[in-house]
Amino acid sequence: EFDAWLSARFRFGSYSVERKVLHAATDASEQQAAALTVDDISYRHDGGSVPHSKRRYVAWLLRRSGTTWRITHAILDFGKASPP
């Protein structure tokens, strides 16, 4: 889903998303989970030569729905604020 959304949004460039899971845990019933990831995102416009990139930490809350995990909340840019 995310790749399709990005492809439609960024038709005039290329993007890359690298995600690393730093920690993940479930509750005792294994119906809810929390995770912390670090995302390295970059985008290069077809007409340009300079890539735009960002590293961010993301906190995720998830809920199990049958055999699938559904994201209920995501806190983007979680952690220490970057200088202006």
Side-chain angles (χ1 to χ4, degrees):
E1 288 178 10
F2 189 57
D3 281 340
W5 179 83
L6 285 174
S7 294
R9 184 169 173 92
F10 300 120
R11 284 180 239 191
F12 305 107
S14 59
Y15 64 91
S16 171
V17 178
E18 298 293 327
R19 176 171 290 140
K20 179 179 178 185
V21 177
L22 301 176
H23 182 75
T26 62
D27 68 349
S29 68
E30 296 188 351
Q31 296 301 305
Q32 298 180 75
L36 179 64
T37 64
V38 60
D39 298 349
D40 289 306
I41 303 163
S42 64
Y43 175 76
R44 182 186 302 267
H45 192 276
D46 290 341
S49 61
V50 178
H52 301 276
S53 60
K54 180 175 186 172
R55 171 172 272 204
R56 67 180 185 185
Y57 291 88
V58 182
W60 304 88
L61 298 178
L62 304 102
R63 177 181 48 84
R64 187 185 297 261
S65 177
T67 58
T68 303
W69 287 97
R70 305 282 182 196
I71 299 166
T72 58
H73 296 83
I75 304 169
L76 306 176
D77 296 325
F78 182 77
K80 186 188 292 188
S82 300

